[in-house]
Amino acid sequence: MTVQPRPTRPRRSCLAVPGSSEKMLKKAQGLAADQVFFDLEDAVAPGAKPSARATVVAALREGDWSGKTRVVRINDADTEWAHEDVLQVVRGAGSQLDCIMLPKVERVAHIHWLDILLTQLERELHLPEGGIGIEAQIEGPAGLSEIEAIATATARTETLIFGPGDFMAAMKMPALTIGAPGATGYDPFDTVLMTIAMTARKHGLQAIDGPYALIRDLEGYRASAERAAAYGYDGKWVLHPGQLALANEVFGPSQEDYDKAELIIEAYAHATSSDGGGLGAVMLGDEMIDEASRKLALVTAERGRLLNMARTTSFDPSN
């Protein structure tokens, strides 16, 4: 198979839309989400799953998803629906599809199955082989224990996603709200979030945090998003349009931070050049910057560039 280079996509806000709801699919087209995923899994009742596939295909083919990453979350690989989900969605709208999201990835065989099936369909439909990406959702201790193999199973994989609801249930956590583990005095997700983030970064993947189900609790959503952002996550699920602006804010650099990041990079490049004296460390205002500063700044700068942010300041070596 010819490996397609995986694009880096903005995923600050990943909007979940029930695949059975034509109304919500239509509304989602006008919302400021970086990614929209059409859900055929938990958001669709068992009896509605077959008809939801056709609704999703029509939305992909006929909707205006300009500027958005288009993803379909199929049912998990061990269900009776998964195989037909992939067949109908890819045959119906494969050229309008960016990624397939696979939930409840418990073992690497789940990824291998999807990878092979996508390759077969791409050949059948004369689509670019390897063109459809995979988003792998880690939702239980078995998947977490195999996360290294899952992350490296195929070059199609673009993201690792934390699924807190099923993970909480699998771990028998005493909680009733998805994404909010309760007032325990500590955060039981710390190890999980770090493991997913470290694995993603090790293999050049994006890390996405899952949902926060209290859709009117914007303060709680912000806290959950900021926790994930602190671990270096690229974005978070959005269950309601009211959460969108917060996700985009938390996971995207502010104008001030973006300007500073570009300034550090430019100032350090000048300092290390012959014109700047070939220095390895230099003062920028009241702050010392060195190679570590440049690496930190590059993280923020790359996120801003991905969003096509424009600088409002410039470096003046004479100052």
Side-chain angles (χ1 to χ4, degrees), residues 58-108:
L60 283 167
R61 291 176 64 91
E62 300 166 11
D64 181 4
W65 304 101
S66 302
K68 296 176 174 60
T69 297
R70 303 155 298 178
V71 178
V72 173
R73 180 166 77 154
I74 63 171
N75 289 278
D76 77 79
D78 289 330
T79 67
E80 64 195 85
W81 305 289
H83 186 73
E84 198 63 29
D85 286 347
V86 180
L87 293 182
Q88 291 197 28
V89 168
V90 176
R91 282 176 175 159
S95 61
Q96 287 84 35
L97 181 65
D98 294 308
C99 296
I100 292 284
M101 185 188 300
L102 184 61
K104 299 178 178 64
V105 180
E106 292 289 270
R107 53 188 188 274
V108 70

Side-chain angles (χ1 to χ4, degrees), residues 146-166:
E146 284 200 42
I147 192 169
E148 184 78 15
I150 288 167
T152 57
T154 172
R156 291 183 187 273
T157 304
E158 295 190 14
T159 70
L160 297 177
I161 304 168
F162 176 42
D166 281 276

Side-chain angles (χ1 to χ4, degrees), residues 32 54 84 98 114 121-122 142 149 159 161-162 165 168 176 213 242 258 274 292:
E84 198 63 29
D98 294 308
L114 181 56
L121 287 167
E122 287 165 345
T159 70
I161 304 168
F162 176 42
M168 293 160 75
L176 294 172
Y258 174 66
S274 56

Side-chain angles (χ1 to χ4, degrees), residues 232-252:
Y233 276 63
D234 297 280
K236 183 173 178 61
W237 279 18
V238 170
L239 298 184
H240 186 273
Q243 298 174 332
L244 267 173
L246 281 175
N248 288 338
E249 175 192 338
V250 171
F251 293 99

